[in-house]
Amino acid sequence: ILSDRNDPNSITMPWVLQVYKDRQGTIWLATLESADYYHPSFSTFRVYDQFNKNTRSAYACPALCSDRLNQIWCGSWDNGIARLDPRSGEVKKYSVPYALSENNSYNIIYYLAADRKNQLWVLTAGGLIQFNIKAETYTKTNRGKTLKVFSRDITKIMSDPSSRIWFSTTDTIWKYNDDQQIFQAVYPAQQNEGKKKTVFNFWTDDDDSYLWILRGNPIELIWLNKNSGKEIIYHFPALQQHIWWIRQAGDSVIYLATDRNGFYAYYPSTGKSEEYNIHTGLPSNQVKAMAAGADGSIWLGTMKGIVRFDPVSRSFRNYTIQDGLETESVIHSNAQTTDGTIFFPTIQNVIAI
């Protein structure tokens, strides 16, 4: 799907920063200039250029999320946050007041997440702030008040399918209790655990029942049940921390996509894994995105094209420029519609499969 400024149904510009699916199943693209959306019923893109009105520079949207009213929130690199009402098309921007920030660091947004009470959590270059959507006001979080962790230590914010807020710091996963307005250490639950291990990343599953946590050196991949606290630890001594995507196919296999070591299939019943890299069929060891096809296949976005992996034959089918792709470099994002269409963003366009 190419960028064509003369076509109102194409994307705004080639450089796509993120692909995001909202609560209604609409696909949103964050670009260097605006936010575009794709609705499966229309099978075309629509452009919201209102982000750029009265803005001196292009309104880049590296962070996207939707709240419980399905309003879309965009976090920019230097202009704070903006709210888009998909029904009216209205866009309203909210820069952080100078009183909260001695410089512009609080207007540089890394992550956005909306909680169950429709509060917006904003991770910025200056630390963590909250935005009251109803009152349209910011609150700066501090140690010992609403947060039990220091905001500058927070490395990632995530809202799960139940709109619960999860945070990672350098060595701990936290859950926000919105009733008590406190954070609870989830993993490790006991904060006196010896020498702590670095948390590199964490993810939630689509069914909202467990977390994946990547930490340690050598690497540990932890499966954690959100409700019972039960954990299973998988050890990958040969891997570094550059695991970007995890997908579990039933109880039989766990797929890992890495940024340096290619693609892995791990079989929990035997404890064995199969490694796939440039020597065994992959076009690149840098796997930036992963999604599951409706037929059970695994689709990979790499630095040298799109790959379809057949779990039965354990074979690859590589798609490159020779197959019609405009570019082969996929970035760290993807989204999938309810009809099974997979979107992989690239530095020049969006690939739809």
Side-chain angles (χ1 to χ4, degrees):
I1 300 173
L2 301 177
S3 171
D4 183 352
R5 294 184 182 275
N6 296 318
D7 182 357
N9 293 328
S10 74
I11 61 178
T12 307
M13 69 171 302
W15 201 295
V16 179
L17 303 171
Q18 184 188 14
V19 180
Y20 172 76
K21 183 168 71 172
D22 68 17
R23 299 169 187 269
Q24 304 298 318
T26 301
I27 301 296
W28 293 85
L29 305 180
T31 74
L32 277 177
E33 287 191 357
S34 189
D36 305 339
Y37 77 102
Y38 172 92
H39 197 288
S41 299
F42 305 138
S43 299
T44 57
F45 277 92
R46 295 288 189 272
V47 177
Y48 276 102
D49 58 2
Q50 291 95 328
F51 282 110
N52 289 310
K53 289 184 178 179
N54 302 319
T55 302
R56 293 181 181 179
S57 59
Y59 201 93
C61 295
L64 286 175
C65 81
S66 59
D67 62 25
R68 295 183 70 84
L69 300 177
N70 206 43
Q71 298 180 112
I72 303 301
W73 292 87
C74 169
S76 75
W77 273 329
D78 58 3
N79 288 300
I81 62 176
R83 179 186 64 188
L84 164 66
D85 186 337
R87 291 165 295 184
S88 66
E90 178 188 4
V91 172
K92 189 172 183 178
K93 300 171 185 175
Y94 305 90
S95 295
V96 178
Y98 183 81
L100 286 181
S101 176
E102 297 76 13
N103 51 49
N104 200 46
S105 62
Y106 281 87
N107 282 310
I108 302 173
I109 312 302
Y110 296 146
Y111 289 98
L112 293 174
D115 65 21
R116 293 188 295 180
K117 294 189 176 181
N118 223 30
Q119 301 288 313
L120 199 66
W121 295 83
V122 187
L123 183 60
T124 76
L128 181 67
I129 53 179
Q130 286 176 283
F131 183 77
N132 186 307
I133 294 175
K134 185 176 181 179
E136 299 184 342
T137 56
Y138 283 101
T139 302
K140 187 176 179 180
T141 57
N142 297 301
R143 181 193 294 272
K145 292 185 179 180
T146 57
L147 297 184
K148 299 301 181 183
V149 293
F150 186 43
S151 65
R152 287 183 181 270
D153 294 334
I154 295 173
T155 56
K156 182 178 180 179
I157 306 174
M158 181 183 67
S159 176
D160 66 18
S162 298
S163 297
R164 291 173 294 188
I165 299 296
W166 301 80
F167 285 75
S168 62
T169 54
T170 53
D171 53 27
T172 307
I173 303 296
W174 304 79
K175 179 177 68 174
Y176 182 65
N177 185 318
D178 48 18
D179 292 324
Q180 301 179 24
Q181 296 188 349
I182 60 172
F183 276 92
Q184 300 169 328
V186 175
Y187 198 90
Q190 302 298 323
Q191 290 296 291
N192 58 357
E193 175 199 89
K195 183 180 179 180
K196 294 185 178 180
K197 299 180 180 181
T198 300
V199 172
F200 295 112
N201 208 343
F202 73 103
W203 306 263
T204 187
D205 70 306
D206 295 335
D207 296 329
D208 199 23
S209 58
Y210 55 85
L211 291 175
W212 289 104
I213 303 169
L214 182 69
R215 72 168 196 167
N217 186 16
I219 287 297
E220 295 177 344
L221 182 62
I222 299 159
W223 177 93
L224 181 70
N225 187 296
K226 291 181 181 180
N227 299 316
S228 68
K230 177 184 176 181
E231 66 180 69
I232 301 175
I233 301 177
Y234 304 102
H235 296 277
F236 297 96
L239 292 181
Q240 298 178 348
Q241 69 267 28
H242 302 283
I243 297 176
W244 288 104
W245 296 88
I246 299 169
R247 181 164 292 276
Q248 187 169 10
D251 297 325
S252 59
V253 60
I254 300 171
Y255 295 109
L256 307 175
T258 80
D259 196 35
R260 294 187 180 181
N261 302 92
F263 171 65
Y264 282 76
Y266 176 77
Y267 300 91
S269 61
T270 64
K272 296 181 179 181
S273 61
E274 297 174 351
E275 178 182 359
Y276 301 96
N277 50 43
I278 57 175
H279 303 294
T280 55
L282 274 183
S284 169
N285 284 340
Q286 292 180 283
V287 182
K288 302 291 188 177
M290 177 169 59
D295 59 355
S297 61
I298 299 295
W299 289 86
L300 308 173
T302 78
M303 288 297 290
K304 292 187 177 180
I306 301 295
V307 178
R308 180 184 182 275
F309 175 70
D310 185 332
V312 177
S313 64
R314 290 175 166 78
S315 62
F316 293 100
R317 169 66 168 92
N318 301 329
Y319 298 88
T320 63
I321 290 177
Q322 285 71 29
D323 298 292
L325 299 184
E326 292 290 326
T327 182
E328 297 176 348
S329 299
V330 174
I331 65 171
H332 292 294
S333 183
N334 75 296
Q336 192 166 6
T337 61
T338 54
D339 66 0
T341 303
I342 303 170
F343 291 89
F344 289 109
T346 76
I347 60 174
Q348 292 187 11
N349 54 26
V350 178
I351 300 171
I353 299 172

